[in-house]
């Protein structure tokens, strides 16, 4: 799976500091472009070529029979503010993963990140800040510090409709203001709730752009990967191979597997929309030895030295310095070409991170 990285020059690619770059704060996008597909697009070839386009031009780089793989996971309003009885202090709960073992109306068990942690002891009861009829019971403290909590609510509604009332989207900390239109933090094709953060490369697509690709003979395939907040977990270890990657739930349908395998057989390319789609495909391949109908957990960590098995091209945003996401991009494009592309993007004042501009690696 990984190439040999024994020589000293390549060993540097295993050091966290190798993935740092200077980014002026004013280039961190605070709002999405008015039109999704009018974001800028930096087109990067594996031959070192760089072109400056707009996202609506992405169709020019596809051929008939190529496959575009999208992640249909939908962001849930996973950030819930709580109060304890007779207290005015706000507490916070970030919902990560469904731990319910059955369909119990009016109850739901979820793994959460809580703040401040010392207040969330087993047996403690909290109430949703904006709806005190919703009770939250701390059930268990996990080894990683997360909590298993039980939501107890009116059984006339689903848990996700409850979250629509009491929660909000947990935007990354570098975004200082909520978007006026919450739908701009969702892809146009999202249809299954479960992500705590948006698969942001997909935010650039419009329904019209997808229709244009299909009219060109491009095959649209979907996977599911529920993005966890671990996506934003910084790499703290100086040796990146010591970093423990978060685990996320994924699903690949038989139909999607067939589309990808047919394309590969016919010499066509697989374009992954975002690091989430790329990790889904590559993680499933590493686990199954092929692309086939499957589901489960993936914690694949892709960094330079990794040999791609499924993904040929990648559509992605610009990522934080020293993050696992920029390491994945370096594995796809090559380290030197990636850092050159990022320096070019800074020079040309591209917009960075979740609401920013995009790259196409081909």
């Amino acid at each position: 799976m990984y190439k040999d990285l024994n020589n000293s020059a390549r060993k540097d690619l295993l050091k966290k500091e190798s993935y740092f770059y200077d980014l002026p704060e004013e280039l961190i996008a605070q709002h999405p472009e008015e039109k999704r597909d009018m974001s800028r697009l930096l087109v990067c070839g594996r031959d070192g070529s760089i072109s400056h386009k707009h996202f609506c031009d992405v169709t020019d780089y596809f051929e008939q029979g190529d496959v575009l793989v999208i992640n249909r996971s939908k962001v849930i309003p996973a950030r819930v503010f709580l109060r304890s009885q007779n207290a005015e202090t706000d507490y916070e709960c970030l919902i990560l993963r469904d731990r319910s073992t059955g369909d119990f109306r009016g109850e739901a068990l979820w793994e959460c990140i809580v703040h401040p942690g010392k207040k969330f002891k087993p047996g403690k009861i909290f109430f949703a800040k904006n709806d005190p009829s919703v009770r939250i019971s701390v059930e268990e403290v996990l080894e990683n510090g997360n909590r298993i909590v039980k939501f107890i609510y009116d059984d006339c509604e689903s848990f996700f409709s409850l979250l629509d009332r009491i929660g909000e989207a947990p935007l990354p900390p570098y975004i200082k203001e909520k978007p006026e239109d919450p739908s701009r933090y969702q892809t146009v094709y999202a249809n299954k709730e479960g992500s705590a953060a948006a698969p942001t490369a997909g935010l650039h697509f419009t329904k019209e752009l997808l229709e244009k690709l299909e009219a060109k003979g491009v095959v649209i395939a979907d996977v599911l990967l529920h993005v966890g907040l671990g996506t934003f977990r910084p790499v703290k270890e100086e040796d990146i191979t010591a970093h423990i990657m978060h685990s996320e739930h994924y699903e690949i349908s038989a139909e999607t597997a067939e589309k990808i395998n047919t394309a590969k057989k016919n010499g066509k390319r697989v374009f992954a929309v975002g690091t989430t789609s790329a990790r889904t495909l590559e993680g499933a391949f590493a686990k199954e030895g092929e692309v086939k109908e499957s589901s489960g957990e993936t914690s694949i960590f892709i960094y330079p030295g990794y040999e791609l098995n499924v993904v040929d091209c990648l559509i992605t945003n610009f990522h934080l310095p020293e993050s696992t996401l920029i390491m994945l991009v370096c594995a796809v494009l090559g380290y030197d070409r990636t850092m050159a592309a990022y320096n070019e993007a800074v020079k040309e004042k591209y917009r960075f991170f979740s609401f920013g501009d995009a790259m196409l690696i081909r």
Side-chain angles (χ1 to χ4, degrees), residues 96-97 99 110-113 120 122 138-149:
L96 296 182
R97 187 172 308 189
R99 295 295 191 183
W110 281 74
E111 180 180 343
C112 303
I113 295 173
F120 286 77
V138 182
E139 302 292 305
E140 183 182 350
V141 180
L142 302 179
E143 287 186 7
N144 60 8
N146 293 348
R147 297 329 193 244
I148 302 295
V149 304

Side-chain angles (χ1 to χ4, degrees), residues 24-43:
E25 187 174 352
E26 62 268 21
L27 297 185
I28 300 175
Q30 295 299 312
H31 307 281
E33 285 285 358
E34 185 175 346
K35 289 189 65 178
R36 289 177 185 262
D37 62 357
M38 286 308 295
S39 296
R40 296 170 74 187
L41 178 68
L42 190 70
V43 181

